[in-house]
Amino acid sequence: MSGALRLATIVMLTAGGLFTGGVVWYAWERIWIWRRLALEDYAVDFRRSLRKADPALPILLVICACAATAFAWQTSGTARMLAIAGILPLATILVSSIVLAEPINNQFRRRPEGVVPPDAERLRRVWRRFHLVRTALALSAFALIVTAVSYA
Amino acid sequence: MWAIPMLIAGGLFAGGVLMIAWERIPAWRAADGEEFQTAFAHTLRRADRLQPALLVVSLISTAGFALTAEGAARGLALLASAGFLIVLVGSGAWLVPIQRRLVEPGSTAPASELDELRSQWLLGHLLRTVVALAALTLAVTAAVS
């Protein structure tokens, strides 16, 4: 394995692991708690949580996807095919988060803390379902890039 | 055989502890005593079902990888498994007793003592996060060595 490929692999696996672990953590812990909160409490907690997660998780996702692209570029055969198959769900997460989740996030973000947006119950439900799908995609992407490394 | 579970469990575990440090700890620092205890108990109820299992799988698979690898990969994996072991032992010996005190039902401990326990737990979790991140990086580097 060349130095450049080794570096791309380390960055891809580390960022990918942290991103997937973070997304799984949200699905496992925050979503479970948010389902049980009154809408007023949910609006406060969700807005505060966004402030922390929003820069961190997309950055890890983009770093992982870029490193996976560099990995695919430098490999061939099964390793390259699996890496490309892993990049696709990552790209899907990125685009769908911008198109589907961001408008919901903005409904909470642009209001003062404690103000519940209209139709908040539906927004909470849609966001929860979207995040569970995003989690399944992240897990499959991470499993694919980890398997790709074993063929490199 | 060992690399895939080592990387997947290690990544999920480190990502989880990182999110607690990054997202929960600022919220818990800003919360008042009662609010903190309620939120902390809710998180523990979920975390205790997932994080220890991921940590044990990470530890076993990293140790298994170290036993079957050679050279630099073995050394790096041994260091990574030592890191996961430190997190496991440190959590059990230091943080779990604090957690129990913090979520004890009907606790009559004074607020100052609970604040001190909260500070200790938050510090312990930050240390655990640093060690977990280092162990993940070592495991990943071992896998590509």
Side-chain angles (χ1 to χ4, degrees), chain A residues 6 17 28-30 49 52, chain B residues 11 22-24 43 46 144:
Chain A
R6 184 171 288 130
W28 181 257
E29 191 259 359
R30 280 295 90 193
S49 187
K52 298 300 289 181
Chain B
W22 179 252
E23 192 265 345
R24 279 295 89 198
T43 294
R46 297 300 287 169
V144 299

Side-chain angles (χ1 to χ4, degrees), chain B residues 12-24:
Chain B
L12 294 181
F13 173 74
V17 293
L18 180 65
M19 281 315 289
I20 296 175
W22 179 252
E23 192 265 345
R24 279 295 89 198

Side-chain angles (χ1 to χ4, degrees), chain A residues 78-94:
Chain A
T78 309
R80 171 179 281 184
M81 199 184 69
L82 287 167
I84 292 170
I87 293 166
L88 290 176
L90 292 176
T92 307
I93 292 171
L94 186 63

Side-chain angles (χ1 to χ4, degrees), chain A residues 15-65:
Chain A
L18 295 177
F19 169 73
T20 311
V23 167
V24 167
W25 177 251
Y26 261 82
W28 181 257
E29 191 259 359
R30 280 295 90 193
I31 279 187
W32 184 85
I33 289 168
W34 285 340
R35 276 180 89 158
R36 282 150 183 82
L37 289 182
L39 274 178
E40 294 74 17
D41 297 331
Y42 168 72
V44 171
D45 200 63
F46 184 72
R47 191 172 175 278
R48 286 182 185 172
S49 187
L50 277 182
R51 210 179 300 154
K52 298 300 289 181
D54 236 9
L57 290 176
I59 289 169
L60 287 170
L61 167 62
V62 169
I63 292 172
C64 174

Side-chain angles (χ1 to χ4, degrees), chain B residues 44-135:
Chain B
L44 274 189
R45 207 168 141 196
R46 297 300 287 169
D48 279 356
R49 293 178 190 178
L50 179 69
Q51 290 297 91
L54 286 173
L55 176 56
V56 168
V57 175
S58 306
L59 175 58
I60 291 170
S61 53
T62 310
F65 181 89
L67 291 175
T68 53
E70 290 172 356
R74 167 176 281 198
L76 290 164
L78 279 174
L79 284 173
S81 52
F84 287 128
L85 184 63
I86 288 168
V87 173
L88 184 67
V89 173
S91 299
W94 183 24
L95 298 182
V96 170
I98 295 176
Q99 286 164 203
R100 289 199 182 123
R101 294 286 313 279
L102 282 169
V103 298
E104 204 171 30
S107 169
T108 52
S112 59
E113 190 188 329
L114 292 175
D115 280 345
E116 172 57 30
L117 289 171
R118 165 163 54 169
S119 302
Q120 268 192 49
W121 193 92
L122 298 181
L123 172 67
H125 185 78
L126 290 175
L127 292 173
R128 171 163 69 179
T129 304
V130 171
V131 178
L133 287 173

Side-chain angles (χ1 to χ4, degrees), chain B residues 27-44:
Chain B
W28 287 340
R29 274 219 173 99
D32 66 38
E34 201 177 321
E35 195 186 344
F36 163 73
Q37 278 182 291
T38 308
F40 187 69
H42 284 154
T43 294
L44 274 189

